[in-house]
Amino acid sequence: TLPIVLFMAAAALAMLQSRRAAEQTAQHEAQNLAIAVGDAYGSQMGHFDVAIASMVAYVEGQLAKGDLDFQDTRKHLQAVAAEHPELDGIRLVDETGRGRLGPGLEDGVAYDFSDRQWFKHQRDQASAGLYMSEPLVSKTQGLAIVSLSRRIHHPDGRFAGVVTAAVPIDTIQRQLMAIDPGPGGAVVIRDAGM
């Protein structure tokens, strides 16, 4: 009976080691997938941020010369936005929260964005940097979006408004659907509050 007990103990140990190895492999693969998703998603958001930052620099340059030339700024905004057709637009919002330039803002309709968290964040924090909103519904198009924004400063440092880019949720979903996490796997994005 001792050989049978030793055999059973050896088999149980082998199964336990095999299970631990499988769990470590699964954990390693999940970490690699998370890194790959983060890199791909972060890279895309980085491209959008460069577009927003270039628009902020353009507007701040105009303000440093005296006043904003809306015709030139509109042309620059359209050129920057044309490089990112996956966005629902890049918009310029003044210091009061009124949408000034961008898709849906030039039809004589005044949209007030002062109630949006991204606007309040940029207004209230001089060094906010890039801010990404929670999912929300676009006021101008009615689409589910995530809004990326950066603050605009007057030459003296006062708040001058915001440049914001609307990333449609379906754009994010298409990117995530292209990732194959394997059988039974899922790819999700969550924030620190989840």
Side-chain angles (χ1 to χ4, degrees), residues 118-125 128-129 131 149-151:
W118 55 262
F119 179 84
K120 293 174 186 178
H121 184 83
Q122 296 295 356
R123 179 195 63 207
D124 299 343
Q125 298 188 26
Y131 181 83
S149 62
R150 279 193 172 275
R151 178 184 173 116

Side-chain angles (χ1 to χ4, degrees), residues 107-172:
D107 302 329
V109 178
Y111 288 97
D112 180 6
F113 296 98
S114 64
D115 61 334
R116 296 293 193 172
Q117 185 58 39
W118 55 262
F119 179 84
K120 293 174 186 178
H121 184 83
Q122 296 295 356
R123 179 195 63 207
D124 299 343
Q125 298 188 26
S127 59
L130 180 68
Y131 181 83
M132 182 175 182
S133 75
E134 292 183 0
L136 50 93
V137 176
S138 165
K139 288 187 177 192
T140 60
Q141 306 296 327
L143 300 172
I145 63 164
V146 170
S147 188
L148 303 176
S149 62
R150 279 193 172 275
R151 178 184 173 116
I152 304 168
H153 296 91
H154 280 290
D156 64 3
R158 289 178 299 119
F159 178 62
V162 177
V163 173
T164 181
V167 183
I169 296 293
D170 65 346
T171 297
I172 297 168

Side-chain angles (χ1 to χ4, degrees), residues 22-186:
E23 287 174 351
Q24 288 175 342
T25 299
Q27 184 178 16
H28 182 70
E29 288 176 1
Q31 288 172 342
N32 285 342
L33 180 60
I35 290 168
V37 170
D39 286 350
Y41 188 70
S43 174
Q44 183 73 13
M45 293 300 141
H47 290 298
F48 298 155
D49 185 29
V50 168
I52 295 165
S54 75
M55 199 61 223
V56 167
Y58 186 85
V59 172
E60 288 179 347
Q62 290 261 329
L63 293 173
K65 293 177 186 174
D67 205 7
L68 191 63
D69 181 331
F70 278 94
Q71 189 171 11
D72 283 350
T73 304
R74 179 181 295 111
K75 287 178 187 175
H76 187 75
L77 180 90
Q78 290 169 341
V80 171
E83 295 174 13
H84 301 282
E86 61 274 33
L87 292 174
D88 179 47
I90 299 174
R91 293 173 179 85
L92 176 64
V93 177
D94 71 17
E95 66 271 6
T96 68
R98 181 173 168 236
R100 299 299 301 249
L101 293 173
L105 299 179
E106 299 176 38
D107 302 329
V109 178
Y111 288 97
D112 180 6
F113 296 98
S114 64
D115 61 334
R116 296 293 193 172
Q117 185 58 39
W118 55 262
F119 179 84
K120 293 174 186 178
H121 184 83
Q122 296 295 356
R123 179 195 63 207
D124 299 343
Q125 298 188 26
S127 59
L130 180 68
Y131 181 83
M132 182 175 182
S133 75
E134 292 183 0
L136 50 93
V137 176
S138 165
K139 288 187 177 192
T140 60
Q141 306 296 327
L143 300 172
I145 63 164
V146 170
S147 188
L148 303 176
S149 62
R150 279 193 172 275
R151 178 184 173 116
I152 304 168
H153 296 91
H154 280 290
D156 64 3
R158 289 178 299 119
F159 178 62
V162 177
V163 173
T164 181
V167 183
I169 296 293
D170 65 346
T171 297
I172 297 168
Q173 287 174 329
R174 277 194 307 275
Q175 290 174 331
L176 295 178
M177 288 174 58
I179 300 168
D180 180 9

